[in-house]
Amino acid sequence: YLKTHYPAEFMAANLSRNLHDIKKITQYTSEANRMGISVLGPDVNGSGKKFTVTGDKIIRFGMAAIKGVGEAAVEQIVEDRSKNGDFKNIFDFAKRVNLRAVNKRSFEALAMAGAFDGFSETHRAQYFYSENENGPTFIENVIRFGGRYQEQQNSQQTSLFGGSETFEVKDPEIPLCPQWSLPFQLKMEKEVTGFYISGHPLDEFRLTMNRFCTVEVSRLRNDLKSLVGQKVQFAGMITESVEKI
């Protein structure tokens, strides 16, 4: 009944039930797409811990399903967002979240998955950019900035005149660097979510595939007997190879 009358809710529940199983998330996401349901990527201002239905046949990726982002980190992000509103930019995010829960690994995984893409001032490559080979990345600078800001807010230093002594913590400079190529961006997405979100490496060959391919790989896997004696053409991508003698 749920699958027929509330397909998005049904798929969101299945996805949420398998939050920590990337293989099953990949399978259910493919099934959702086949049913005409869009699974949007994670977003720190739009996602919850689990997969949630945000519109007609639209599911938003659950942040707890991102490899490297713990549930405690997601709970802290959602709690602060509920109390204080959406995060304005990456600096506002670093100022507000609990940096013990949302650590460097969480920041990097969120950036790789595209959860910071809603911040128009920055793009994914910048978060991992370093001025020199052994220098800190922009993400590391942002975390340090957030730590200094929070320390200042928590300290109650009183001057000789009885006033609160405050120090301005300036936002780190956003580095200039080229954006990631689409294939590399997709590779990073798949590494932390289990599937491609913002596209597919074969998208640029879509017209050629539509013209020349006569069968999908899934049919070769599941319905090979019906193709006995037929000549077929299909396209794919080699993801792993083994050389044997």
Side-chain angles (χ1 to χ4, degrees):
Y1 179 85
L2 283 175
K3 187 174 183 180
T4 303
H5 295 85
Y6 302 97
E9 288 79 1
F10 174 80
M11 293 307 300
N14 279 325
L15 286 161
S16 296
R17 195 175 298 116
N18 295 278
L19 270 178
H20 305 296
D21 190 332
I22 285 182
K23 186 176 180 180
K24 285 190 176 180
I25 285 175
T26 304
Q27 293 173 349
Y28 282 125
T29 300
S30 298
E31 175 66 11
N33 291 331
R34 190 190 65 78
M35 295 167 63
I37 300 169
S38 299
V39 180
L40 301 182
D43 182 88
V44 291
N45 282 330
S47 295
K49 183 169 79 170
K50 298 181 179 181
F51 289 79
T52 53
V53 178
T54 59
D56 184 28
K57 293 190 175 182
I58 296 175
I59 297 174
R60 175 67 74 172
F61 200 95
M63 285 189 286
I66 302 173
K67 185 179 179 181
V69 181
E71 291 193 21
V74 178
E75 288 171 358
Q76 208 287 316
I77 292 170
V78 174
E79 181 182 356
D80 188 280
R81 189 181 71 203
S82 300
K83 288 181 180 178
N84 304 307
D86 287 354
F87 301 103
K88 299 177 180 66
N89 51 44
I90 190 63
F91 305 120
D92 185 46
F93 182 82
K95 286 178 182 178
R96 289 165 50 182
V97 298
N98 183 337
L99 296 174
R100 288 188 295 274
V102 190
N103 55 26
K104 177 187 172 185
R105 188 184 180 196
S106 299
F107 267 81
E108 290 178 339
L110 288 166
M112 290 167 65
F116 296 141
D117 284 1
F119 301 147
S120 59
E121 303 93 338
T122 48
H123 58 76
R124 298 187 202 184
Q126 290 172 313
Y127 295 111
F128 300 90
Y129 181 79
S130 175
E131 293 290 343
N132 55 70
E133 187 176 347
N134 298 316
T137 62
F138 179 54
I139 272 186
E140 291 172 330
N141 287 335
V142 167
I143 294 171
R144 289 174 187 171
F145 157 80
R148 288 197 303 271
Y149 178 86
Q150 292 180 19
E151 286 175 9
Q152 175 198 306
Q153 295 298 106
N154 293 332
S155 65
Q156 298 296 325
Q157 297 179 354
T158 305
S159 69
L160 293 173
F161 301 100
S164 295
E165 190 175 354
T166 60
F167 303 92
E168 183 181 0
V169 181
K170 293 184 178 180
D171 295 351
E173 186 174 343
I174 299 175
L176 296 175
C177 68
Q179 296 190 24
W180 283 344
S181 66
L182 182 58
F184 186 79
Q185 177 173 307
L186 293 171
K187 178 184 176 184
M188 294 296 102
E189 284 179 1
K190 194 170 190 297
E191 186 174 315
V192 292
T193 65
F195 66 102
Y196 303 113
I197 298 173
S198 55
H200 193 280
L202 294 178
D203 281 346
E204 61 181 301
F205 306 104
R206 187 65 57 191
L207 289 175
T208 303
M209 290 165 60
N210 289 342
R211 181 174 180 182
F212 293 104
C213 294
T214 59
V215 66
E216 294 184 354
V217 175
S218 59
R219 188 176 175 193
L220 297 178
R221 185 186 302 117
N222 303 319
D223 191 26
L224 193 59
K225 288 183 179 179
S226 67
L227 300 171
V228 172
Q230 297 184 38
K231 180 179 179 180
V232 299
Q233 292 183 162
F234 62 93
M237 189 171 58
I238 299 173
T239 57
E240 185 178 351
S241 64
V242 177
E243 182 176 339
K244 295 183 177 181
I245 299 177

